[in-house]
Amino acid sequence: MKAPLEPSKLLDRGKPTVRELLSSLVFNPVDGTIRLNGDRIVMQRAAVGVELRRELTRLLGPQEARVFLMRLGFLSGQADARFVRTNWPNVDIGDAFTAGTRLHTFSGVVRVETVYNDFDFRKKRFSAEFLWHDSVEAAEFRRRHRTTEPACWTQLGYACGYASEFFDTLIIYKEVECAAQGHRHCKVVGKPADVWGPGDPEVILFRERIMAPQEGSLSEPLRRVAARTAESALSELDRLVLAPVRAELDRLAPMALPVMITGSPGTGRSRAARYLHRASGGSGTEPRHVFGNRVDLDLCAEIARRGKGGRRGPGSETVLIDAAEQIPSDVQPHLARAIEDGMVVGGPRIVALVGYDPSSGPLGPPPLSSELWYALSALAVRMPTLGEREGQRLAIARTLLPVLAARMGIEPPRLDGPAGKAIERATWPGNLRQMRTVLSAVLAAHRDGQAVSRAEIEAQLLRFPFTAMAAGDDPQSRLRPLVDQLLAEGDFSLSELERSAYKAAVDRARGNLSAAARLLGLTRAQLAYRLGAGGGPAAV
């Protein structure tokens, strides 16, 4: 039976009618909302959907983009079916079911013409054929270029989701003709999945990829998409820094549990946390960053109650706690309980950055309460120091150098052979922070047109040999790696080292001899004498 085309009949056809649906449409200019029978909707240009489709196809490829948009349509169709059944509970179920064609029409997506629509809800019997006129998805292809495949992905998913919700079984529509292929209109045919057969490719696609996965988990295909998105967001420097732990981060990403990332400052712990967040499916937003000493009871309460009533799902928030060992001791037990409660009610994923080796145990310094340690440490990743990454330090420096040069607005110079060897042989106890500082200083002092020399690298290493002294360290143990390195090179000169140290101190003090003496632990007179005895200026 053909749908009548006269506008007046279209408005009053079925229950709820288009006129009734439109009568419940309210635009409130005060708060900028549009509501349909109380449910909020939005109005936007069709071009937005075209650009979304184009960008998804570029990022994911046509097959993954098709799956994404069909799934989006499927969920939208399910939501509209529930909307009709909830808001018009006394309407005959057959009328409520056919309201889907009217919703589709007045939303501006497509005008639906029924060829036949045969159904029996009790027996779950269904067979239908519809013509779609002026499909918004097909219009873009019809205007610019034709395609060999049907193009109405979102609308097809919508029809399947709407019908499946009413029949409580999977209904599959297939688009057998599409205006994007050059046909006058689009034609779709719908049947239950069991009628199409379990081996039908579209049935398999819907059951494995498009129907909603179990709440709170990422399906394997969605995991692959999340991993691909996380990979695409990595810079070359990220890839090098994270190389030793990438496989472990990928393994932990789907597990909706807290993760503790340990290691010395400057080893790339924050980079690892951001990658873990994206690989977990949270690529739409950056993780929320909180420093340990700012963690309080309000944050604990927020972590415990967020998402209450549902499990953690794809794209959920990640709270990144930096320097977790600095969380106030009286707050730590509360945070441990909040993390446990949050895992039950669907709270955010907690990723804690801890500045010491987990082998020290829950009671080792710096202090973490045993409750918090056990709440965080089930999944742990340790970032290696640069000193442990033999054979990789030069590659990291070569990748970091042009990044720093771009920030400074200069052309990145090349490193000569001896300079590269000096970088590789250095132990870099300050890790990436020290390397960034040393290379920045080299670039600032470097002359254009020449390769960076070993002398330039070593001079800046003497100026910035370490970061902060760790608790319990002594100057002798900190200097030992540098002395060992100089002795191994075979041309070590103690007097030259002393002169370099005096000059570096004076340079750092900007010529103030008293300030330079304080840096070296000397009196001004002692430094002036030693500078004079070494051939340097007696006064600065």
Side-chain angles (χ1 to χ4, degrees):
M1 181 179 69
K2 299 278 186 179
L5 297 179
E6 293 85 349
S8 60
K9 293 183 178 179
L10 280 171
L11 286 173
D12 297 310
R13 179 169 144 248
K15 277 288 187 179
T17 66
V18 173
R19 194 185 301 275
E20 287 173 327
L21 290 168
L22 289 172
S23 69
S24 63
L25 188 68
V26 177
F27 170 60
N28 187 338
V30 176
D31 60 11
T33 61
I34 306 173
R35 297 188 183 275
L36 179 64
N37 219 46
D39 283 10
R40 186 170 183 178
I41 63 172
V42 296
M43 181 173 64
Q44 62 184 20
R45 295 182 181 275
V48 174
V50 173
E51 291 303 320
L52 173 64
R53 179 188 183 118
R54 188 175 297 152
E55 190 66 13
L56 286 170
T57 302
R58 184 183 70 82
L59 291 173
L60 305 178
Q63 179 59 27
E64 289 297 331
R66 178 175 182 260
V67 169
F68 178 90
L69 291 174
M70 288 180 75
R71 177 168 159 71
L72 185 67
F74 189 90
L75 295 173
S76 178
Q78 283 184 315
D80 274 3
R82 292 168 190 152
F83 164 76
V84 171
R85 297 181 74 172
T86 301
N87 288 284
W88 287 275
N90 299 321
V91 169
D92 177 78
I93 189 171
D95 278 337
F97 173 58
T98 59
T101 61
R102 298 187 287 281
L103 276 171
H104 230 163
T105 296
F106 99 79
S107 65
V109 173
V110 68
R111 179 170 64 84
V112 183
E113 179 184 347
T114 304
V115 179
Y116 64 85
N117 191 8
D118 183 19
F119 51 84
D120 186 320
F121 291 101
R122 186 175 59 83
K123 297 180 180 178
K124 296 189 186 300
R125 179 172 54 83
F126 175 72
S127 179
E129 181 179 318
F130 299 96
L131 302 181
W132 286 348
H133 299 276
D134 298 321
S135 161
V136 71
E137 287 187 282
E140 176 69 11
F141 292 93
R142 196 166 189 172
R143 276 199 306 270
R144 299 194 176 186
H145 57 276
R146 292 180 182 177
T147 177
T148 58
E149 300 292 333
C152 302
W153 300 340
T154 311
Q155 293 162 215
L156 198 68
Y158 178 94
C160 296
Y162 190 92
S164 298
E165 181 67 22
F166 270 91
F167 282 90
D168 197 27
T169 190
L170 179 59
I171 303 295
I172 300 290
Y173 281 87
K174 294 185 180 182
E175 190 173 13
V176 295
E177 293 180 6
C178 184
Q181 297 171 294
H183 296 284
R184 291 179 57 197
H185 45 240
C186 305
K187 181 191 290 186
V188 294
V189 176
K191 300 176 186 177
D194 292 341
V195 176
W196 290 112
D200 185 273
E202 289 297 289
V203 172
I204 294 172
L205 179 69
F206 267 83
R207 283 180 170 158
E208 293 186 356
R209 303 290 312 277
I210 294 172
M211 291 182 70
Q214 183 178 3
E215 189 179 0
S217 64
L218 279 174
S219 66
E220 185 58 35
L222 286 176
R223 282 193 195 119
R224 289 196 295 268
V225 172
R228 199 157 52 239
T229 304
E231 165 72 23
S232 67
L234 289 176
S235 66
E236 187 58 33
L237 182 60
D238 289 331
R239 289 187 174 88
L240 286 172
V241 172
L242 299 180
V245 297
R246 272 280 298 280
E248 183 66 6
L249 292 172
D250 288 336
R251 188 180 71 83
L252 300 181
M255 305 178 188
L257 295 173
V259 176
M260 185 165 69
I261 302 177
T262 65
S264 302
T267 50
R269 294 171 301 162
S270 294
R271 295 172 189 265
R274 287 193 295 270
Y275 176 80
L276 181 69
H277 170 69
R278 295 188 188 106
S280 301
S283 56
T285 57
E286 285 297 305
R288 180 179 176 185
H289 199 142
V290 181
F291 286 95
N293 58 6
R294 304 299 297 272
V295 174
D296 55 18
L297 296 181
D298 288 340
L299 179 63
C300 294
E302 189 179 348
I303 290 170
R305 69 171 174 263
R306 184 164 299 187
K308 193 169 184 178
R311 296 180 60 194
R312 185 183 189 276
S316 294
E317 183 185 5
T318 297
V319 174
L320 170 59
I321 302 178
D322 202 345
E325 65 273 13
Q326 296 180 19
I327 298 171
S329 58
D330 58 329
V331 175
Q332 290 186 21
H334 297 281
L335 178 60
R337 175 59 62 87
I339 291 170
E340 293 171 1
D341 290 346
M343 285 190 286
V344 174
V345 301
R349 185 177 200 171
I350 306 300
V351 178
L353 308 187
V354 181
Y356 66 102
D357 195 314
S359 62
S360 61
L363 303 179
L368 276 183
S369 70
S370 58
E371 298 99 323
L372 185 55
W373 176 273
Y374 292 123
L376 293 173
S377 62
L379 306 182
V381 178
R382 178 182 176 273
M383 296 297 297
T385 65
L386 283 187
E388 297 172 279
R389 301 185 62 172
E390 191 171 351
Q392 302 170 20
R393 296 184 280 266
L394 178 55
I396 293 173
R398 280 179 169 155
T399 305
L400 183 57
L401 201 63
V403 174
L404 296 173
R407 291 176 184 172
M408 298 170 72
I410 61 176
E411 287 295 318
R414 66 180 182 87
L415 300 167
D416 68 17
K421 289 179 181 178
I423 288 172
E424 186 59 51
R425 280 198 297 257
T427 56
W428 301 100
N431 299 299
L432 287 170
R433 294 177 179 177
Q434 182 189 13
M435 183 177 282
R436 187 183 296 112
T437 300
V438 166
L439 293 179
S440 296
V442 167
L443 288 171
H446 183 70
R447 295 180 180 177
D448 293 339
Q450 299 180 6
V452 174
S453 68
R454 168 183 163 181
E456 291 177 274
I457 297 294
E458 290 179 344
Q460 300 304 333
L461 276 169
L462 286 171
R463 286 186 66 203
F464 308 104
F466 312 107
T467 52
M469 183 186 295
D473 280 356
D474 62 86
Q476 300 253 349
S477 63
R478 293 172 61 208
L479 288 171
R480 182 59 183 267
L482 179 61
V483 174
D484 287 345
Q485 177 190 330
L486 293 171
L487 289 171
E489 292 174 0
D491 55 356
F492 175 68
S493 168
L494 182 58
S495 60
E496 191 62 39
L497 176 62
E498 288 180 345
R499 281 194 295 273
S500 297
Y502 301 150
K503 184 177 185 305
V506 172
D507 289 344
R508 189 162 190 173
R510 298 182 179 180
N512 186 316
L513 203 59
S514 297
R518 285 193 295 273
L519 289 173
L520 294 168
L522 301 173
T523 66
R524 186 184 187 284
Q526 287 173 324
L527 178 57
Y529 173 79
R530 294 183 187 191
L531 285 169
V540 180

